[in-house]
Amino acid sequence: TIDLTKPATTITGGNANNILDGPISLSKIVIVRNGSQPATGTFLLDNIRTVSDGWSLPTATNPAGAKNFVPSAGQTTTVSFTPSTPGDYQLQLLDPTGRVKTFNGTAANTNQISVSWDGTSDSGDTLAGSISSVLSYDTTPDGSLSSTPVKGGNPYTTGIAARFEPANQSSPVGQNGELTTLDSPASVDYRAKLMENAYVRYDREEFEWKRVEPSPGYYDWSKFDQTIAATDARNINVIGRLLFSAPWASSAPAGTAASDVEYYPPTNLTDFTDYVTAVVHRYKGSVHVWEVWNEPNSSLYWKPAPDPVAYAAMLKATYAAIKAEDPTATVINGGLVGFDYKFMDALRANNALSSIDGLGLHTFVNQSPDGSQSETWLDGAEAYLARYAPGKKIWITEMGWSTCSSTDSTCPSPVTEAQQSQYLAQAYLDAASRGIAEISWWNLVEYGDSGDHLDNFGLVERNGRLKPAYTALVNVGQALDQKIVAGTIAPTANGQSTLVDDMASTSGWNTYKQGGGTATLVTGSGRHGGVAGFTLTYNFSGASTGVDLQTNKPVPGSPTALSLWVFGDKTNSPIYIKFTDATGENFQGLIGDSAGATWKRMTLYLDGGNPDYQHYGGNNDGVVDYPIAVTDIFVYKSLVSGQSSGQVYLDDLSAGYGPITRGVVLYGAGTTTQAVYGLSTQSADLPIPGPSASVTTGSSTSTVTAAADGTINLPLGAEPSYVTSTLGVSAVTSLTSQPVSLYWTSADRTTATIQVLSSDGTVIRVLRNQVLFDSGPRTDVWDGKKTDGTTASVGTYRFRVVIAGVNGATATVDRQFTRTK
């Protein structure tokens, strides 16, 4: 018999407080040889039992069934336990930093005891994170706790978050926190706090089979319970990684290196789905996104070689097992190395596309996000989903750049800490603008202290130093928190453009088929603007590589960006623009791929930031000498999808002037934010809707007042600036003689509804109803009339702007004003 009310002789791991925290599990019975006795013999073991005195451990009931509560929001939680006998008790609630709240009392009978707690400590400080409890009690109700009370603990009683976050939060910001690899609760909560402070919404965690079920039928949940308690407490959603083979279940042949055994698929798929069922059953209350395996199209993680047929079978079986436990769960494939069209097509051929709810990708590249292979991968994935799995979203579960410093082969393509910071923010903003469900940086804390590649992806060093990229994560996380992405920002700072060709006529355009095939260019009703647009119908069969639409369209002034509106046909056909400068030098670059069937602005930036940007001929100095003329639009055969025929719409070739801008427009939390950056350092006059803006760049935040023309002077650079302001309203005098103007900012293809509301919230006029806008500053005018034509009386009113985001969510932002006469 072991008396569990007494401190243990030896303890290891966990919170190391020598208090038994329930629930417990028996993991081993160790029989040690007495060296003076024979080495062989027989033991008979039977009837392992536990005996309890009946006192229950503390449990918590949070507000409205939430996982946690927020004291700053005026919330409380109720902590309860049930005595089995009268006695004295002390209930302590502790956070990972050691702050404690103590409740003392006497149980006069066996009725449940409940205390209401506001989240503060004995000294009035606020506790945070995953809260544990320790209940000490005796069975003598004399008003004084015994000097040797019985003690029991609940390590995951409740959670306290730093701020309120709505359950339907749509931010895509994620991280690979690797909490399940850590031993101590304090270390787990430290990383969870890092993520919460950066407004991270998703934490991708390993639920490795070999650790969950180290031997058949035996489960060890300790580190996983610890992780879920911390992420629940910190308002973080977990993406659970279901991987790899437990060594006892692996199909690895005899003699396989121990380090490779887990990367062979299981011999028996039922063993894998049994493990999946056990994991999902245990955590379905907290984890609702599951990723099946990791990089199955890589020979590193699926040995001896990638096998899409075998993986399709695993995916289908695992999907069924997950859905049987949690029909609301989201299932994504193991993140693919880049977008692998052939692998995806093999999954489709084996009927596995219906066994994913989202497409997992890994988008590691050596260059910056702009102009890199990652854009082509994402275009390809978007086109594939649009064609074969409409409605399903992309999940980028790994991407990152390493700040390694070794001088040997262990450090390929390093970046500086400043570049790592810039690339992180740019990648997150690009993903958000595409409506991607989630994007996770790999990884949060550095692996080691060496200069090697793998040790330096982290945003936080092992000594605790926060790298600049962590600040970038905080900024982009806060910008996207409780907001929706309205779309991409205008290609140039002022948001204005000049129409070079409205493409309402094919006059001046010639069609040149490259390598054969067919291509027909006509004008039709399919258009972005104006009265008509181009319809290109093509068949790039045989040796055809594409079509060249040749022209000579002079562009006035000194433009810095050339844009073309494209309605894609889901083929992923690359589209290029080419122009010639005053010396005869030719410039061209990829502006995008024919992905989804929707209008999209594709832009050739004259700063060289497009993929496959090149120049030749003329003085060949790489400098654009004005004036210029657009000479070609190329539509090439897709080398990714193999689709050789289709129909694409082209319209409104235009030019932008002034400083080049990249980024997104955000709405929510009562404000609008322009997240904007440039590839080169320059100064730009950026229009803002309100009278002033809060500008955050790096670790600096300042308030800037708009000039008379409604702009602020913004130093642009590769590190995004987050320019946040209210909606603007003109000075209001008499509405009978002077209308009132609303100033706001749209993004490309923003759907907006604009209303006027009375002080009681009644809509008295609709100025715009689900109207599509392109990017730039906007002005809407109210003439003071209600819907019925009568003039509104003196009083307080509100403009309301309702924006539909790229991910389907909406945001509502109001601006109040008063009519005085």
Side-chain angles (χ1 to χ4, degrees), residues 261-478:
V261 167
E262 64 182 306
Y263 303 131
Y264 285 80
T267 301
N268 188 341
L269 194 51
T270 301
D271 290 336
F272 186 79
T273 55
D274 286 348
Y275 138 75
V276 168
T277 296
V279 173
V280 177
H281 177 78
R282 188 174 185 87
Y283 298 115
K284 62 186 177 183
S286 294
V287 183
H288 301 289
V289 183
W290 299 99
E291 183 178 1
V292 184
W293 211 261
N294 180 70
E295 298 186 358
N297 64 328
S298 163
S299 59
L300 181 62
Y301 293 113
W302 191 286
K303 293 185 179 299
D307 185 343
V309 176
Y311 179 68
M314 171 181 280
L315 200 54
K316 290 187 287 187
T318 305
Y319 185 87
I322 293 171
K323 294 293 186 175
E325 284 292 329
D326 181 8
T328 67
T330 297
V331 181
I332 59 178
N333 59 280
L336 302 180
V337 180
F339 179 65
D340 190 331
Y341 191 98
K342 290 183 178 179
F343 193 87
M344 287 299 298
D345 239 20
L347 295 184
R348 181 169 65 89
N350 285 275
N351 302 311
L353 284 192
S354 59
S355 294
I356 59 170
D357 303 311
L359 172 59
L361 291 181
H362 293 173
T363 57
F364 291 98
V365 292
N366 294 331
Q367 310 92 340
S368 70
D370 288 285
S372 72
Q373 177 68 29
S374 64
E375 290 192 343
T376 302
W377 285 335
L378 294 176
D379 285 347
E382 288 175 355
Y384 193 90
L385 291 178
R387 179 175 288 268
Y388 297 117
K392 296 182 180 181
K393 293 184 177 294
I394 298 169
W395 295 67
I396 301 176
T397 53
E398 285 185 23
M399 66 94 196
W401 286 262
S402 175
T403 57
C404 59
S405 58
S406 296
T407 56
D408 56 24
S409 60
T410 62
C411 181
S413 305
V415 299
T416 66
E417 289 195 354
Q419 287 173 320
Q420 185 188 54
S421 174
Q422 296 159 8
Y423 296 172
L424 179 148
Q426 292 171 16
Y428 276 85
L429 292 176
D430 178 65
S433 74
R434 292 172 177 267
I436 286 172
E438 177 273 345
I439 175 171
S440 285
W441 182 273
W442 192 84
N443 53 347
L444 179 64
V445 178
E446 292 185 343
Y447 269 171
D449 298 319
S450 78
D452 291 356
H453 190 61
L454 292 178
D455 281 348
N456 291 275
F457 280 91
L459 311 181
V460 182
E461 290 183 341
R462 297 191 71 81
N463 63 11
R465 184 180 79 89
L466 305 178
K467 296 163 72 174
Y470 179 77
T471 300
L473 178 69
V474 172
N475 289 343
V476 75
Q478 186 170 23

Side-chain angles (χ1 to χ4, degrees), residues 634-817:
F634 299 97
V635 179
Y636 288 109
K637 179 179 180 179
S638 174
L639 298 179
V640 176
S641 69
Q643 297 289 336
S644 60
S645 61
Q647 189 175 72
V648 62
Y649 301 92
L650 312 171
D651 200 12
D652 291 347
L653 177 65
S654 60
Y657 300 82
I660 293 172
T661 50
R662 293 172 170 84
V664 300
V665 179
L666 307 163
Y667 273 85
T671 62
T672 178
T673 297
Q674 299 177 75
V676 56
Y677 65 96
L679 299 189
S680 59
T681 301
Q682 55 188 314
S683 180
D685 290 330
L686 183 74
I688 62 171
S692 63
S694 169
V695 180
T696 297
T697 308
S699 58
S700 174
T701 299
S702 59
T703 300
V704 182
T705 301
D709 63 356
T711 66
I712 62 169
N713 187 259
L714 181 69
L716 277 179
E719 187 80 33
S721 293
Y722 302 89
V723 182
T724 301
S725 63
T726 61
L727 303 177
V729 176
S730 62
V732 183
T733 54
S734 171
L735 288 178
T736 57
S737 61
Q738 180 183 355
V740 58
S741 297
L742 168 71
Y743 307 117
W744 60 287
T745 301
S746 67
D748 273 340
R749 310 311 285 165
T750 295
T751 300
T753 296
I754 300 174
Q755 305 165 327
V756 182
L757 284 71
S758 62
S759 58
D760 64 0
T762 302
V763 177
I764 61 172
R765 184 78 176 273
V766 177
L767 303 179
R768 306 272 190 172
N769 187 22
Q770 294 188 334
V771 176
L772 265 175
F773 293 90
D774 293 339
S775 55
R778 302 290 164 198
T779 302
D780 278 275
V781 178
W782 181 44
D783 61 3
K785 303 290 186 180
K786 299 181 181 180
T787 302
D788 61 8
T790 61
T791 301
S793 61
V794 170
T796 300
Y797 297 90
R798 278 180 286 163
F799 279 119
R800 171 165 290 174
V801 178
V802 182
I803 300 290
V806 296
N807 63 356
T810 60
T812 300
V813 177
D814 288 357
R815 179 66 158 84
Q816 183 173 295
F817 62 95

Side-chain angles (χ1 to χ4, degrees), residues 133 161 252:
S133 63

Side-chain angles (χ1 to χ4, degrees), residues 565-586:
W565 285 91
V566 179
F567 191 98
D569 59 357
K570 310 174 190 177
T571 62
N572 205 47
S573 297
I575 301 174
Y576 285 67
I577 285 180
K578 175 183 172 183
F579 68 90
T580 302
D581 75 358
T583 73
E585 186 174 5
N586 300 295

